[in-house]
């Protein structure tokens, strides 16, 4: 056990250097930077489309109590199932949704 402890200490000591080397490789790679920029742009457009759809009159007619909806989680990039429980204000477009979390 003592032998593994010293081996782990050596690998932990080199960890910051390895992370710096990895970041130099990733940041210098043009395809990764281009992908990241495209990802941010796609996320921005996706949010704009979702906001526009949610503000449309036709979408509002479907958001009635008892309707099952898909909700995007703020903490992760996954989607969760939910049920519209109550419409608190139709003019302010506020809903109470019961969300099922894993």
């Amino acid at each position: 056990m003592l032998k593994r402890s010293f081996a782990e200490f050596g690998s932990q000591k080199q960890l910051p250097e390895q992370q710096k080397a990895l970041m130099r490789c990733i940041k210098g790679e043009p395809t990764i930077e281009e992908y990241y920029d495209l990802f941010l742009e796609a996320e921005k457009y996706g949010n704009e489309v979702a906001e526009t759809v949610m503000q449309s009159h036709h979408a509002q007619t479907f958001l009635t109590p008892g309707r099952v909806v898909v909700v995007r989680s703020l903490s992760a990039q996954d989607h969760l199932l939910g049920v519209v429980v109550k419409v608190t204000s139709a003019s302010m477009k506020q809903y109470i949704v019961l969300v099922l979390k894993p």
Side-chain angles (χ1 to χ4, degrees), residues 31-46:
T31 55
I32 292 175
E33 288 182 12
E34 182 181 349
Y35 172 79
Y36 183 71
D37 292 340
L38 288 172
F39 170 77
L40 289 178
E41 188 176 354
E43 188 175 38
K44 181 183 90 168
Y45 288 138

Side-chain angles (χ1 to χ4, degrees), residues 3-4 8 19 25 30 33 35 40 44 46 57-58 65 76 87 93:
K3 182 179 175 183
R4 282 191 296 192
E8 181 67 24
Q19 288 177 339
C25 293
E33 288 182 12
Y35 172 79
L40 289 178
K44 181 183 90 168
H57 175 68
H58 297 292
V87 179
K93 300 177 178 103

Side-chain angles (χ1 to χ4, degrees), residues 68-85:
V68 175
V69 293
V70 177
V71 180
R72 183 171 34 178
S73 173
L74 293 176
S75 62
Q77 292 294 333
D78 58 348
H79 293 78
L80 305 169
L81 286 178
V83 176
V84 178
V85 178

Side-chain angles (χ1 to χ4, degrees), residues 1 6 10 15 18 33 38 42 47 58 69 84 89 93 100:
M1 185 170 158
F6 282 113
L15 189 62
Q18 292 172 347
E33 288 182 12
L38 288 172
N47 289 337
H58 297 292
V69 293
V84 178
S89 172
K93 300 177 178 103
L100 300 173

